[in-house]
Amino acid sequence: MPKVKKAIIPAAGLGTRFLPATKTVPKEMLTIVDAPIILYVVEEAVKAGIEDIVLIAGRGKHAIEDFFDTSYELEDKLAKDGKAKLLDRVSKIRDQANIISIRQKQAMGLGHAILCGLPIIGKEPFAVLLGDEITMEANGESNVTAQLVKSFEETSVSTISVMKVEDKDVSKYGIAEVEQTSPGFFKVTSLIEKPKPSETLSRWALPGRYVFDNTIMDILQKAKPTLNGEIQLTDSMKLLCQTQGLNAMTFTADRYDAGDKLGYLQANIELGLKNPELRDDLKNYLLGLVTRI
Ligand code: UTP
C-alpha cells in the first residue's frame, strides 16, 4: 500500500483579495490569534504524518521561508518577547519534518505551483494543502489531511476533500460533479473551475486539501494555461478523473478561508474562542457586541 509522506503547500499566489496586507506582509504570514496562517497549515501536514513539506513561495514571500529557518535573531526575539509557546511550536515542526522551500518564479497558477514541487516529490504520492486555508478538527479527531491520507492508503486512488456550498458561493471555488459511493464518499465525474451557479447542478466545492497519486504530475507537465492564463489544477484533475479515477470525501472539521477578509475574521474569532487564555474575555466581548449591533 502506498504511504503518503510528502506534501506540497502552495503559498506563492498574489493574494489579490487581501491586497492591503500583502503590500507589506504575505497573507500566509498574517496572524490568526497567536500564530501565522502558514504555521497552522504546516502543523496539519505534520500531524497527518507528512515528513517532507515543500513550501512553494513566491516573489516578496521571503518571510514565509525565513519563519521556518533556524534563526538566532528570531528565536532570541521570541524568547525575549515572552513568546516561548510560538517558539516551541516552530521547533517541534523542525524536529518532526523537513521543510523545503521552492520558489515559483511567476504566479502561473495552482497547477504550476504544484509542478514546482516535482524535484522533491519525484515518483511518490503526495498531499496538497493550500497555504491560506486553515482547518481545525475537534479534539481527538484526525485532521482533514489525515482523513484523506487514510482513504488514499486504503484505496490507492487520488482523493480530494469536498464541502457543500450555497449557490452564491459556487463561483468562488473549483466545483466537483460527483456520484456518491457510500455515505460521505464519492467518485468524481467532472470538475469545473469557478463556474456560475447555473453552469453546474453540483454544490460540492473544493476547500483546498488533496492527496494525489503521482500521475497528476505527468498530467500537469503536459498542461497548458487556460482560465486567467494560468495552469489550473482543476483541468488536470478533470483529466485524472477520466483516466485513473478521482475520489472525493466530506470531512469533519471547521474550515476557514484565511486568504479572504471575512474568512480571516471568522478564523480569528472562532480560534480565539478555543484559546484558553482568550476564551472568556472574547466571549463576553462578543455577547456585549451582539446587543449593540
Ligand atoms: P488563490 O486562488 O487563493 O489565489 O490560490 P491567490 O493569488 O493566493 O489569492 P487571490 O484569490 O488573488 O486573493 C490558492 C492557493 O494557491 C496558491 C496560493 O498562494 C493559495 O495558497 N497559488 C496560486 C500559488 O502558489 N501559485 C499560483 O500561481 C497561484
Side-chain angles (χ1 to χ4, degrees):
M1 274 297 142
K3 289 272 171 216
V4 184
K5 293 288 163 203
K6 296 185 176 178
I8 298 179
I9 301 187
L14 299 176
T16 51
R17 289 172 298 159
F18 234 135
L19 201 55
T22 51
K23 274 189 176 165
T24 47
V25 174
K27 64 178 170 176
E28 295 80 4
M29 286 304 293
L30 294 177
T31 295
I32 303 284
V33 185
D34 53 5
I37 295 169
I38 196 76
L39 182 58
Y40 290 91
V41 182
V42 169
E43 283 177 340
E44 178 181 332
V46 171
K47 276 194 215 149
I50 302 295
E51 292 168 359
D52 294 327
I53 295 174
V54 190
L55 279 177
I56 308 296
R59 199 149 55 93
K61 299 222 176 183
H62 286 293
I64 303 178
E65 298 163 337
D66 294 349
F67 182 72
F68 292 100
D69 272 352
T70 314
S71 145
Y72 167 75
E73 295 89 338
L74 176 69
E75 289 175 20
D76 191 46
K77 178 150 180 38
L78 287 173
K80 277 192 187 131
D81 293 352
K83 297 205 174 69
K85 276 193 195 151
L86 181 57
L87 191 55
D88 282 352
R89 280 170 75 171
V90 181
S91 316
K92 213 163 152 193
I93 292 292
R94 276 204 222 108
D95 291 346
Q96 292 177 345
N98 303 308
I99 310 263
I100 302 134
S101 180
I102 291 189
R103 181 61 67 96
Q104 184 189 22
K105 294 198 179 84
Q106 222 185 328
M108 285 168 63
L110 178 56
H112 179 259
I114 291 172
L115 201 50
C116 291
L118 182 61
I120 305 297
I121 300 299
K123 291 280 168 207
E124 290 180 48
F126 58 99
V128 174
L129 298 86
L130 297 192
D132 55 0
E133 305 272 342
I134 293 181
T135 78
M136 197 51 66
E137 68 284 4
N139 272 342
E141 299 264 327
S142 20
N143 67 38
V144 179
T145 298
Q147 293 170 36
L148 287 173
V149 165
K150 180 168 180 284
S151 171
F152 177 82
E153 291 181 350
E154 283 167 10
T155 61
S156 303
V157 176
S158 299
T159 307
I160 59 177
S161 57
V162 286
M163 61 178 190
K164 261 272 165 68
V165 293
E166 293 177 30
D167 291 5
K168 68 174 175 50
D169 293 326
V170 164
S171 57
K172 292 185 194 162
Y173 294 94
I175 298 287
E177 297 183 341
V178 299
E179 283 166 9
Q180 187 162 356
T181 48
S182 61
F185 288 88
F186 309 85
K187 178 178 161 22
V188 180
T189 54
S190 192
L191 289 130
I192 165 163
E193 183 62 27
K194 300 192 173 79
K196 293 192 189 103
S198 58
E199 286 174 318
T200 174
L201 290 176
S202 173
R203 296 297 177 255
W204 289 108
L206 277 51
R209 295 293 185 267
Y210 322 73
V211 170
F212 289 116
D213 165 55
N214 200 268
T215 318
I216 195 80
M217 287 297 193
D218 299 334
I219 300 177
L220 280 169
Q221 277 177 302
K222 294 181 199 129
K224 298 265 179 306
T226 55
L227 191 68
N228 302 330
E230 294 182 342
I231 297 182
Q232 297 286 345
L233 175 63
T234 311
D235 294 332
S236 295
M237 287 193 295
K238 198 169 165 180
L239 275 181
L240 189 66
C241 77
Q242 290 160 359
T243 52
Q244 303 280 110
L246 179 64
N247 289 342
M249 62 187 285
T250 54
F251 53 89
T252 45
D254 294 322
R255 172 255 172 207
Y256 310 97
D257 180 0
D260 169 78
K261 286 174 201 150
L262 180 62
Y264 178 76
L265 291 172
Q266 287 167 332
N268 267 297
I269 293 169
E270 292 197 26
L271 297 185
L273 286 171
K274 287 186 180 146
N275 183 301
E277 279 170 35
L278 291 175
R279 190 186 317 146
D280 293 342
D281 287 344
L282 182 58
K283 191 174 149 191
N284 288 336
Y285 163 71
L286 290 172
L287 289 172
L289 185 65
V290 167
T291 61
R292 285 186 274 129
I293 54 175

